[in-house]
């Protein structure tokens, strides 16, 4: 969708739709159902012959404003909102796949997505091939003419791997023209990367993170061309998961989005300072950040990302040291999730990725010495001072 405004304007104004009431902020339509003028009108709406709301699981005016803004930001035709990122991911995948289908997925994914693909899907007869999609030969060997979906994350959780979206999508579509390439753009946000403009077919999000940005909502999105979004809404949302976003949450995300550009700029700038500190810290063995020249996918990251993001992982000398550091933070918050104003710190092997086996964790490129850090909007000097004292306490 072409749009004449820049991104800072878009996150504030979206489609510039004026509410009929004249309200500046989008009203919360706290209603489950919508009144028809006549039985005939109800029938026409159900038959898709007339636009208009029916029931809030299928659409709601507050949520619609949000969906249109996200579609605009991602450069997609249509967005479907969900009550969680996992709701968006499962509804998208389950409405596009059926028993007997083949999915190729990267081996570094958010833990619950990884379980869905590797454990749940085989129970429904869907066959996953899980591998490192930055390994070109392995990816080419895994792709088949009947592969239905390729799935990966823009910046992978928690190893910060960056996959070449353009190259993967082009090859997938060449080998399997009907294959749908799905990218989880949570870590990047549409301000750093727009996978649909690079050849992906669908973008999914945990809007719980940067898009809302204030740690008070669980939500998700699926963005794609109309035909796919129609299936995701009318099958994945309506029939399979029912994981609909409530209008209150939609309102909160609309409010959070207004500052997305400002938040991302502060967070990305803070992250560069934190990374510089981590590289010098004697207690840290290795820093995982796509902005570093030594990062294995730095060239892809430079090509694909406007800024390198607000997520950084690092390995301490031992599991014990990692645990002690986590137990000694005072300003940074020991909690899972990411993309909030507060700096959040957590231990993937025992928390977000605890469902993965030791072998799966190794294949995903990290270990139990790894700490994942979501840099917040505090003063960078305060974040760094807190990490420094936590690292020193871990040594004591
Ligand atoms: C990359 C990524 N995708 C999806 C999800 C799932 O999102 P939610 O917790 O909103 O269901 C998460 C959660 O941490 C995530 O990190």
């Amino acid at each position: 969708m072409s749009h004449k405004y820049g991104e800072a304007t878009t996150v504030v104004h979206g489609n510039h739709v004026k509410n009929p009431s004249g309200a500046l902020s989008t009203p919360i339509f706290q209603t489950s159902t919508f009144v028809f003028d006549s039985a005939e009108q109800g029938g026409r709406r159900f038959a898709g012959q007339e636009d208009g709301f029916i029931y809030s699981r299928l659409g709601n005016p507050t949520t619609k404003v949000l969906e249109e803004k996200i579609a605009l930001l991602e450069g997609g035709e249509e967005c479907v909102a969900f009550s969680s990122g996992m709701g968006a991911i499962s509804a998208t995948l389950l409405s596009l796949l059926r028993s007997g289908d083949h999915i190729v997925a990267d081996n570094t994914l958010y833990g619950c997505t990884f379980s869905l693909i590797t454990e749940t899907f085989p129970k429904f007869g869907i066959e996953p091939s899980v591998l490192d999609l930055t390994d070109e030969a392995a990816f080419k060997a895994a792709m088949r003419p009947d592969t239905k979906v390729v799935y990966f994350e823009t910046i992978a959780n928690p190893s910060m791997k960056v996959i070449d979206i353009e190259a993967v999508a082009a090859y997938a579509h060449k080998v399997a023209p009907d294959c749908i390439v799905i990218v989880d753009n949570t870590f990047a946000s549409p301000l750093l990367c727009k996978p649909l403009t690079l050849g992906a077919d669908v973008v999914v999000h945990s809007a719980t993170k940067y898009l809302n940005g204030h740690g008070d909502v669980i939500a998700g999105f699926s963005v794609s061309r109309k035909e796919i979004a129609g299936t995701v809404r009318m099958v994945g949302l309506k029939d399979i998961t029912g994981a609909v976003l409530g209008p209150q949450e939609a309102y909160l995300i609309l409010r959070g989005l207004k500052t997305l550009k400002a938040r991302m700029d502060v967070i990305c700038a803070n992250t560069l300072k934190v990374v510089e500190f981590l590289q010098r810290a004697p207690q840290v063995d290795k820093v995982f950040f796509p902005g570093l020249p030594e990062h294995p996918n730095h060239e892809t990251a430079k090509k694909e990302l406007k800024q390198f993001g607000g997520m950084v992982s690092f390995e301490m000398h031992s599991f014990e040291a990692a645990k002690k550091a986590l137990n000694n933070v005072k300003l940074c918050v020991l909690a899972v999730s990411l993309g909030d104003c507060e700096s959040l710190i957590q231990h993937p092997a025992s928390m977000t990725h605890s469902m993965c086996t030791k072998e799966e964790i190794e294949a995903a490129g990290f270990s139990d010495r790894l700490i994942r850090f979501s840099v917040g909007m505090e003063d960078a000097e305060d974040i760094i001072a807190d990490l420094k004292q936590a690292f020193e306490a871990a040594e004591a």
Side-chain angles (χ1 to χ4, degrees):
M1 194 184 289
S2 67
H3 193 58
K4 61 183 171 167
Y5 293 119
E7 285 181 322
T9 310
T10 304
V11 295
V12 176
H13 292 279
N15 254 341
H16 218 82
V17 183
K18 194 173 167 207
N19 187 269
S21 66
L24 169 68
S25 58
T26 308
I28 303 170
F29 285 86
Q30 193 68 46
T31 183
S32 55
T33 197
F34 297 84
V35 183
F36 304 131
D37 289 339
S38 64
E40 289 76 13
Q41 184 188 52
R44 284 196 301 278
R45 287 196 182 171
F46 268 90
Q49 293 160 350
E50 179 186 301
D51 283 345
F53 296 100
I54 297 173
Y55 184 65
S56 278
R57 176 156 40 82
L58 313 178
N60 172 285
T62 312
T63 311
K64 187 165 185 268
V65 174
L66 173 62
E67 289 174 335
E68 286 175 355
K69 195 181 259 197
I70 298 294
L72 212 52
L73 284 170
E74 281 292 359
E77 285 179 352
E78 206 172 309
C79 167
V80 186
F82 289 88
S83 56
S84 71
M86 282 315 297
I89 292 165
S90 58
T92 302
L93 287 168
L94 288 168
S95 47
L96 299 174
L97 290 165
R98 64 177 64 186
S99 174
D101 281 349
H102 177 234
I103 173 173
V104 170
D106 188 57
N107 59 1
T108 309
L109 295 173
Y110 169 57
C112 298
T113 312
F114 188 82
S115 301
L116 174 72
I117 292 174
T118 60
E119 284 175 34
T120 306
F121 280 1
K123 290 186 202 157
F124 290 90
I126 298 164
E127 183 197 347
S129 294
V130 177
L131 58 132
D132 178 2
L133 293 191
T134 62
D135 180 341
E136 196 182 326
F139 169 56
K140 289 186 170 174
M143 275 304 297
R144 306 193 312 222
D146 66 344
T147 301
K148 285 282 159 41
V149 165
V150 172
Y151 188 98
F152 56 97
E153 296 174 356
T154 314
I155 306 175
N157 184 356
S159 74
M160 310 301 155
K161 178 201 290 192
V162 182
I163 291 162
D164 189 331
I165 300 172
E166 219 167 357
V168 165
Y171 188 78
H173 290 139
K174 187 171 128 195
V175 172
D178 294 334
C179 174
I180 294 176
V181 176
I182 306 177
V183 178
D184 180 334
N185 201 26
T186 301
F187 270 35
S189 92
L191 298 192
L192 305 192
C193 182
K194 296 188 198 304
L196 298 178
T197 66
L198 299 173
D201 300 288
V202 182
V203 161
V204 288
H205 270 285
S206 168
T208 313
K209 321 300 185 198
Y210 292 107
L211 294 178
N212 178 56
H214 292 75
D216 49 12
V217 167
I218 300 276
F221 296 118
S222 176
V223 191
S224 56
R225 49 187 181 269
K226 275 195 162 58
E227 158 216 352
I228 297 176
T231 305
V232 169
R233 188 186 300 280
M234 296 312 281
V235 181
L237 173 60
K238 179 173 82 66
D239 297 342
I240 301 178
T241 62
V244 69
L245 186 70
Q248 296 265 0
E249 283 75 13
Y251 169 82
L252 285 170
I253 300 169
L254 279 167
R255 187 165 74 160
L257 272 179
K258 292 185 187 184
T259 56
L260 179 64
K261 176 79 170 70
R263 285 188 283 109
M264 289 314 286
D265 286 349
V266 170
I267 287 172
C268 289
N270 273 356
T271 305
L272 295 177
K273 292 182 188 167
V274 169
V275 166
E276 192 188 63
F277 159 75
L278 290 171
Q279 279 190 295
R280 283 185 286 105
Q283 301 87 352
V284 171
D285 276 347
K286 188 176 169 191
V287 181
F288 298 67
F289 181 65
L292 291 173
E294 61 267 32
H295 185 282
N297 319 123
H298 181 59
E299 289 309 312
T300 308
K302 274 203 303 194
K303 185 176 79 163
E304 207 160 273
L305 303 173
K306 269 201 195 156
Q307 300 190 70
F308 296 112
M311 296 299 297
V312 54
S313 292
F314 51 94
E315 267 177 350
M316 309 284 291
H317 298 326
S318 66
F319 172 51
E320 279 309 308
K323 232 176 20 182
K324 275 194 187 165
L326 289 166
N327 281 333
N328 279 286
V329 288
K330 292 189 166 69
L331 174 73
C332 303
V333 182
L334 177 55
V336 294
S337 202
L338 59 113
D340 289 333
C341 299
E342 297 84 356
S343 290
L344 303 179
I345 195 162
Q346 66 110 2
H347 182 249
S350 67
M351 297 176 189
T352 49
H353 292 68
S354 55
M355 58 294 276
C356 300
T357 63
K358 199 165 181 291
E359 292 70 33
E360 287 165 344
I361 284 175
E362 256 168 45
F366 67 103
S367 72
D368 66 3
R369 295 185 291 134
L370 188 95
I371 288 177
R372 193 192 76 183
F373 193 54
S374 168
V375 180
M377 296 187 68
E378 304 93 339
D379 291 299
E381 297 67 30
D382 291 335
I383 301 172
I384 290 167
D386 190 41
L387 289 175
K388 187 167 183 295
Q389 68 75 31
F391 291 170
E392 286 165 3
E395 274 183 326

